[in-house]
Amino acid sequence: MSGEKMLLLGVTLLLLAAAGADPSGSAASLRGPLHASAPPLRLLPQPVPEYGAPGVASARSAAEATVGTGKEEREAAEQQHHGGGYRVVQWEWSYVQTPYIIAIWLLVASVAKILFHFSQRFTTVVPESCMLILLGLVLGGVVLLASKKQLYQLDPSLFFLFLLPTIVGDAGYFMPARLFFDNLGAILTYAVVGTLWNAFCTGFCLYAAKLLGIIDEQVKADLMDFLLFGALISAVDPVAVLAVFEEVHINEMLFIIVFGESLLNDAVTVVLYKVYISFVEVGVENVQTADYFKGVASFLIVSIGGTLVGLVFAVILGFITRFTKKVRIIEPLFVFLMVYLAYLTAELFSLSAILSMTFCGIGANKYVEANISQKSRTTVKYTMKTLASIAETIIFIFLGISAVDKSKWAWDTGLVSCTLVFIFVFRAAGVVGQTWVLNRFRLVPLDKIDQVVMSYGGLRGAVAFALVVLLDGERVKAKDYFVATTIVVVFFTVMFQGLTIKPLVKWLKVPRSTNSKPTINEEIHERAFDHILTAVEDIAGLQGYHHWRDKWEQFDKNYLSKLLLRKSVYRKSELWEAYQKINIRDAISVIDQGGNVLTSARLSLPSMASRASFPEVTNVTNYLRENGSGVCLDLQVIDNVSGSKVEEDMETHHVLAGNLYKPRRRYQSHYSRHFMPLGEKERQDREVFQRNMRSRMETFKSTRHKRHKKERSLKKVRTHILVLKNKM
Amino acid sequence: MGSSSSSLNNVPDGQQLMQETGFSAAHLLRLYERFKFLDKDNRGHLRSEDFEAVPELSENPIGDRIVGAFFLPGQETVDFSSFVRVLAHFRPTEKNRTRAGAQPDPANSRNRKLKFAFRLYDQDRDGKISRIELLQVLREMLGMQVTEEQLQSIADRAIQEADLDKDDAISFDEFRKSLEKVNIDHKMSIRFLE
């Protein structure tokens, strides 16, 4: 129960912090909605001349002056304090304002997450996104009470330029490419056909509801407005899907279909939104048939163009990472930059930015992961995950906060209830219809349970909210009603559906994700199956999926990989790399368990599915010594050793360091921003591992069949001779 | 179904094959067309040379093993029924649906698919994949890309992972167990288009 108490205490503290964090009256960077037509990047607010920036700081804030202040204000501020004499300590609020506020918000969000996890009971039932929204509601209420007006809101340009790309970039880069392309047909169908179906049906039915009088007269919207609203509310949202589904752990195929749909429907949403906005601006009467065709053409251009932009950036990124051997420290930077630039470039040309970023990530992943160093891989992975997590947290908190601002929305029961009903009904109908068609073409049909999960998993989220806030209130008179409805819909899907999806999944006995690491057998046999299926397709004369996959693999091997992979990497085989990874993983887990190859600890390698534990090994070192092996078994060469041996070593080191004469040491400072210990060591480590693993295997085999030890070694020699014979 | 069943009469043992393998009439017809196409000299059966004429097959690392699977032991030719029976292994599995008159253990069941794959590895048909056989397959698949030592390591580890009764070979049950997490329906099925 103390978990809940901590939770309450923490929340109270947070509220106080939040209430104190907003300086009275000064502009916050996360301010009200900006119009889509002119989003200048006004993140830096005008420096308020209350607390001027005297002395040294004025030189720096002079640079900031280009963003906002006019010259007169600055001079006035300087004049104000010029006659005051020297101040020992000053309140430099306006100078640090923006970054400070951003940092405080990030801190509030992150501490909130820590507090949530204190209560174990809570976290298993309530998904994080729910709690964050609730927290946002509470914080919004506090801020409202404290300063009588709403200072913070989810700013669309902040959302689209910074928060969304972080999440989508992370998702796209780590997307399991094989699974994605295996199910691409289904994903595309749901994304395009499904979204169009949802959008049109919802729009038309809402209009019908208005005509029937269910929706109040005050909602001044006609067909175009409703279609526009339908378009933006019907898209499944990647942020929400990720947030909810990552706690549910359904099987990967289902997840990839829903998540892939949420990513790929961006093109449809973007086009529909833009088309309808222009129709609304022009007026319904002036819309010509040519405009409809332009809409269709626009869809093709936006989607294919976005994909191409992403792929171009993927190729560039792969190519760049080929040459980063000497600048390993900035390797992760290239990854982030290129993926982000793919997003921004697509936005620049008003193509689908999400598609661009997704395909950039998917395309580049294979080559980048092969080219960059292990440390860079870790850095990229963790940085992306951290940033994505932060972005997600901020989005949900601000969704909560924005909801509290009553001035921005207007409530109409008819509209809200109709919308909720319609999006459910049409989602379910759409899924069922499309699945029926798809199952005729799929290898593994989607059964009823899958369809239920897919319909239920059609969550709406922050993208819809940002889009509705971007609407022009002058043109779309019913904007406030739409905003309220969107808030309700988003809250409902994220909170209610988020809460209930876990029990639903359990009740329906949906196959869960196995979450097991691949074994070497699986890797070998899956590759063999690929070859088998390709051969069978060739024999049967079918130009099927595997045929084209194989053709792609050939093209990749002969041209793409040569271009994008480093020479040293190019020659390695994927199966060998997979084997290496498995080995390293095993070794690291042995050490994490506190074991050490030199001791006679019981070793249970996790990837050996059928093993409970190995028989005891009596002194590997002795065995090796007897056999004349000169292998170095010092596992300290791994960087991330954390075990008792390290502490022992450190103690010894301290004792020695304290008592020995210290000559002046000339050593390379490891605090260098320009290079890290080079690949030489990594290569050595890897060799050591290989030898380790092999010798360990020998040991285990020998202890089990001590009697047949001699026979085995003879057999090995015989095998070697056979091999040699075959070679000749 | 009038026209298709009449042309099905051209297919030797058409009806019986449909029953046995679960292929539809249209699929069977298409496969018969393909069979006749491969059978360049119009003998009514296929020899290994006919298979080698298939262009992409030569690039497939385990292509000759797969071709070998079509030939029943001791036979030099493949007639249409054997051709179809082998291909029937790759039909997608039907979930929870039993066709009227379907076999109790249809060719495309998960077990049969796995057995087919197993036989590709186990060339000497002794019911076990020995270390040497595994090494051979690995060598074919990886070829020039890895050294002999690396191949040995991989084979060692594979056997160690899967070998439960410690006989240094992988029996069919061990093979099946090592693949229990893999979606065989997906990985060992192809779409036979109309």
Side-chain angles (χ1 to χ4, degrees):
Chain A
M1 286 304 122
S2 70
E4 270 93 16
K5 283 202 189 133
M6 294 283 293
L7 191 61
L8 286 172
L9 184 63
V11 172
T12 326
L13 284 173
L14 270 178
L15 296 184
L16 292 173
D22 34 280
S24 47
S26 57
S29 62
L30 306 153
R31 229 201 319 171
L34 295 178
H35 290 300
S37 47
L41 207 46
R42 303 206 71 113
L43 283 191
L44 296 174
Q46 280 94 355
V48 178
E50 285 178 12
Y51 306 103
V56 180
S58 71
R60 278 176 267 174
S61 63
E64 286 183 26
T66 50
V67 181
T69 335
K71 274 200 175 164
E72 303 94 56
E73 281 188 45
R74 206 174 11 118
E75 284 171 31
E78 282 187 45
Q79 271 182 350
Q80 251 182 322
H81 295 267
H82 199 64
Y86 181 71
R87 291 193 180 183
V88 180
V89 173
Q90 287 149 13
W91 179 251
E92 301 277 5
W93 176 248
S94 62
Y95 175 56
V96 294
Q97 185 177 346
T98 316
Y100 207 90
I101 292 184
I102 296 177
I104 288 281
W105 273 111
L106 285 178
L107 190 63
V108 166
S110 313
V111 172
K113 270 202 172 181
I114 298 181
L115 291 175
F116 289 149
H117 285 276
F118 271 140
S119 171
Q120 193 69 354
R121 230 175 25 145
F122 248 8
T123 46
T124 42
V125 174
V126 183
E128 231 174 61
S129 42
C130 275
M131 297 197 269
L132 289 170
I133 288 189
L134 286 173
L135 178 68
L137 278 174
V138 170
L139 284 176
V142 166
V143 169
L144 198 60
L145 289 174
S147 53
K148 293 291 178 287
K149 66 178 160 93
Q150 192 54 268
L151 288 174
Y152 303 106
Q153 214 192 23
L154 186 63
D155 182 10
S157 59
L158 178 75
F159 176 74
F160 281 119
L161 285 174
F162 294 103
L163 297 176
L164 189 61
T166 323
I167 297 182
V168 173
D170 172 55
Y173 189 75
F174 291 109
M175 178 90 79
R178 177 70 193 261
L179 205 56
F180 181 74
F181 285 112
D182 279 352
N183 290 298
L184 191 61
I187 293 178
L188 275 176
T189 311
Y190 289 121
V192 176
V193 175
T195 313
L196 284 173
W197 160 265
N198 282 342
F200 283 124
C201 287
T202 314
F204 278 119
C205 286
L206 281 176
Y207 185 58
K210 168 99 190 286
L211 290 178
L212 285 174
I214 306 178
I215 297 182
D216 205 47
E217 277 303 312
Q218 287 172 331
V219 181
K220 290 191 180 16
D222 56 358
L223 182 59
M224 276 303 152
D225 297 317
F226 279 120
L227 283 175
L228 172 60
F229 180 63
L232 63 87
I233 199 84
S234 63
V236 180
D237 182 75
V239 178
V241 165
L242 266 180
V244 170
F245 273 60
E246 73 182 347
E247 310 207 7
V248 180
H249 300 299
I250 52 173
N251 62 72
E252 315 157 310
M253 188 188 73
L254 207 47
F255 174 71
I256 205 83
I257 291 180
V258 179
F259 184 61
E261 176 196 346
S262 71
L263 283 178
L264 295 194
N265 67 19
D266 177 60
V268 178
T269 314
V270 160
V271 169
L272 279 180
Y273 187 76
K274 290 212 172 92
V275 161
Y276 283 130
I277 289 230
S278 64
F279 283 3
V280 164
E281 289 190 2
V282 164
V284 186
E285 318 77 46
N286 302 340
V287 172
Q288 302 153 330
T289 33
D291 293 328
Y292 291 111
F293 285 114
K294 276 195 216 161
V296 173
S298 162
F299 167 69
L300 288 170
I301 293 179
V302 160
S303 53
I304 297 180
T307 316
L308 283 178
V309 167
L311 292 176
V312 163
F313 274 93
V315 169
I316 298 178
L317 176 59
F319 191 65
I320 288 183
T321 50
R322 188 175 158 188
F323 302 108
T324 53
K325 189 156 182 198
K326 302 283 180 192
V327 287
R328 288 209 187 266
I329 293 249
I330 57 173
E331 274 174 340
L333 181 66
F334 282 117
V335 179
F336 300 137
L337 274 181
M338 296 306 284
V339 172
Y340 191 43
L341 275 176
Y343 183 86
L344 292 179
T345 312
E347 274 290 342
L348 174 67
F349 292 112
S350 68
L351 303 171
S352 166
I354 292 186
L355 276 183
S356 162
M357 205 178 204
T358 309
F359 281 104
C360 178
I362 293 180
N365 183 312
K366 174 174 168 193
Y367 307 105
V368 168
E369 293 283 298
N371 276 340
I372 62 181
S373 70
Q374 176 64 31
K375 288 181 181 146
S376 300
R377 255 176 253 146
T378 315
T379 310
V380 166
K381 179 170 172 194
Y382 278 98
T383 313
M384 277 200 167
K385 299 271 172 214
T386 311
L387 289 176
S389 173
I390 292 176
E392 198 182 272
T393 313
I394 292 184
I395 288 177
F396 283 118
I397 288 193
F398 272 85
L399 267 178
I401 292 182
S402 313
V404 180
D405 184 6
K406 274 199 81 170
S407 65
K408 297 280 186 321
W409 48 266
W411 179 270
D412 178 64
T413 325
L415 180 61
V416 171
S417 47
C418 283
T419 312
L420 275 176
V421 167
F422 289 146
I423 58 173
F424 268 118
V425 165
F426 290 126
R427 168 89 185 155
V431 165
V432 168
Q434 290 169 89
T435 315
W436 183 78
V437 173
L438 277 174
N439 276 344
R440 293 161 167 263
F441 299 103
R442 277 181 62 89
L443 268 179
V444 182
L446 296 163
D447 58 11
K448 292 214 172 30
I449 297 184
D450 295 329
Q451 292 173 44
V452 169
V453 176
M454 274 195 285
S455 320
Y456 207 68
L459 308 171
R460 274 64 170 179
V463 173
F465 180 72
L467 284 175
V468 85
V469 167
L470 267 179
L471 289 175
D472 185 351
E474 298 299 310
R475 295 278 163 68
V476 181
K477 304 259 184 323
K479 174 180 171 182
D480 293 342
Y481 291 99
F482 288 156
V483 170
T485 315
T486 312
I487 290 181
V488 172
V489 168
V490 170
F491 273 37
F492 186 82
T493 55
V494 175
M495 291 179 51
F496 180 73
Q497 283 180 270
L499 269 168
T500 49
I501 201 168
K502 246 195 209 169
L504 183 72
V505 159
K506 257 193 225 146
W507 179 56
L508 288 176
K509 300 198 194 24
V510 178
R512 312 293 284 265
S513 74
T514 46
N515 206 27
S516 62
K517 304 289 179 176
T519 64
I520 193 75
N521 271 296
E522 286 172 7
E523 297 272 342
I524 296 177
H525 298 309
E526 288 190 6
R527 282 179 172 75
F529 291 159
D530 278 341
H531 288 306
I532 295 176
L533 289 184
T534 313
V536 168
E537 278 192 1
D538 288 333
I539 291 176
L542 305 163
Q543 302 230 310
Y545 176 62
H546 291 89
H547 175 86
W548 292 113
R549 256 200 102 243
D550 196 58
K551 279 233 170 352
W552 166 256
E553 299 264 321
Q554 295 295 328
F555 170 70
D556 179 53
K557 195 158 67 151
N558 295 331
Y559 299 103
L560 265 187
S561 291
K562 273 207 188 125
L563 178 67
L564 300 178
L565 285 181
R566 276 191 208 162
K567 279 223 186 70
S568 56
V569 178
Y570 175 62
R571 285 194 213 101
K572 292 194 195 162
S573 127
E574 272 184 40
L575 184 57
W576 178 248
E577 291 294 313
Y579 169 70
Q580 294 267 50
K581 272 198 195 133
I582 294 177
N583 268 340
I584 292 181
R585 212 183 57 230
D586 276 347
I588 291 180
S589 69
V590 164
I591 290 164
D592 278 347
Q593 286 172 24
N596 181 321
V597 171
L598 295 177
T599 66
S600 57
R602 278 184 166 229
L603 297 161
S604 59
L605 300 174
S607 65
M608 302 208 179
S610 43
R611 296 256 173 280
S613 66
F614 276 112
E616 286 210 303
V617 176
T618 47
N619 218 324
V620 176
T621 328
N622 281 340
Y623 169 79
L624 289 171
R625 225 175 273 148
E626 284 163 36
N627 286 280
S629 156
V631 168
C632 154
L633 281 181
D634 183 4
L635 280 171
Q636 253 66 66
V637 286
I638 317 167
D639 297 11
N640 44 357
V641 167
S642 59
S644 51
K645 189 123 197 300
V646 177
E647 287 167 14
E648 272 179 50
D649 272 359
M650 279 179 58
E651 263 189 49
T652 324
H653 172 78
H654 282 311
V655 166
L656 291 174
N659 294 308
L660 290 179
Y661 166 65
K662 289 196 244 296
R664 195 168 299 162
R665 293 166 70 180
R666 271 192 229 114
Y667 58 90
Q668 235 167 27
S669 165
H670 281 284
Y671 177 65
S672 160
R673 265 184 279 124
H674 295 291
F675 64 94
M676 309 226 331
L678 295 177
E680 188 65 51
K681 192 158 181 289
E682 287 170 340
R683 236 181 298 128
Q684 263 182 11
D685 296 349
R686 212 176 268 184
E687 255 230 70
V688 166
F689 264 120
Q690 281 179 30
R691 279 190 256 145
N692 279 352
M693 287 309 140
R694 240 179 320 121
S695 35
R696 268 211 294 154
M697 297 305 182
E698 313 265 4
T699 318
F700 296 148
K701 271 181 276 167
S702 70
T703 51
R704 269 187 275 121
H705 304 275
K706 269 205 175 116
R707 282 172 282 148
H708 305 291
K709 192 164 74 176
K710 283 236 175 83
E711 277 187 36
R712 175 114 343 97
S713 53
L714 273 181
K715 212 176 168 189
K716 268 218 147 155
V717 173
R718 257 185 272 133
T719 327
H720 274 291
I721 297 180
L722 265 173
V723 164
L724 286 172
K725 271 208 193 135
N726 284 339
K727 273 193 179 159
M728 296 186 236
Chain B
M1 283 286 154
S3 57
S4 54
S5 59
S6 60
S7 39
L8 195 57
N9 295 334
N10 299 338
V11 178
D13 305 319
Q15 286 292 347
Q16 192 203 351
L17 279 175
M18 264 180 69
Q19 282 268 3
E20 215 186 288
T21 60
F23 276 123
S24 71
H27 284 154
L28 216 55
L29 218 51
R30 202 184 173 291
L31 288 175
Y32 188 57
E33 300 288 329
R34 177 70 182 175
F35 182 81
K36 282 200 287 193
F37 173 77
L38 288 174
D39 180 14
K40 297 260 177 348
D41 303 333
N42 222 345
R43 292 160 199 253
H45 54 243
L46 298 176
R47 301 157 305 141
S48 36
E49 293 86 31
D50 297 318
F51 280 106
E52 280 157 29
V54 177
E56 290 87 8
L57 215 49
S58 49
E59 291 169 0
N60 195 315
I62 48 177
D64 41 359
R65 284 177 187 246
I66 297 165
V67 169
F70 280 89
F71 294 86
L72 293 167
Q75 294 226 331
E76 299 266 314
T77 59
V78 180
D79 63 354
F80 183 62
S81 346
S82 316
F83 186 68
V84 171
R85 285 201 190 97
V86 168
L87 288 178
H89 284 110
F90 296 96
R91 274 184 55 242
T93 6
E94 291 114 3
K95 270 202 265 191
N96 312 325
R97 270 183 273 153
T98 41
R99 280 241 199 121
Q103 307 281 64
D105 183 23
N108 62 344
S109 72
R110 187 197 157 99
N111 216 30
R112 293 283 294 274
K113 286 185 201 274
L114 280 174
K115 214 156 175 63
F116 183 82
F118 187 78
R119 263 192 250 120
L120 285 183
Y121 291 105
D122 181 23
Q123 291 281 316
D124 58 5
R125 308 284 166 115
D126 63 354
K128 291 203 246 239
I129 307 176
S130 69
R131 177 186 301 265
I132 302 178
E133 289 170 334
L134 187 59
L135 267 174
Q136 272 174 349
V137 176
L138 284 174
R139 209 169 290 122
E140 285 170 20
M141 287 208 297
L142 297 176
M144 293 285 101
Q145 294 175 311
V146 292
T147 66
E148 189 56 38
E149 275 191 349
Q150 292 173 329
L151 277 180
Q152 293 277 354
S153 315
I154 298 180
D156 280 347
R157 190 177 173 115
I159 292 196
Q160 253 213 310
E161 267 181 14
D163 191 9
L164 295 168
D165 53 8
K166 321 275 195 303
D167 57 355
D168 202 34
I170 305 179
S171 70
F172 179 62
D173 282 323
E174 291 164 353
F175 180 70
R176 201 165 34 132
K177 201 155 196 305
S178 73
L179 290 177
E180 60 189 356
K181 298 220 176 73
V182 175
N183 186 353
I184 299 290
D185 298 331
H186 189 84
K187 295 273 175 182
M188 278 284 277
S189 305
I190 61 177
R191 259 172 288 227
F192 286 92
L193 303 168
E194 299 292 314

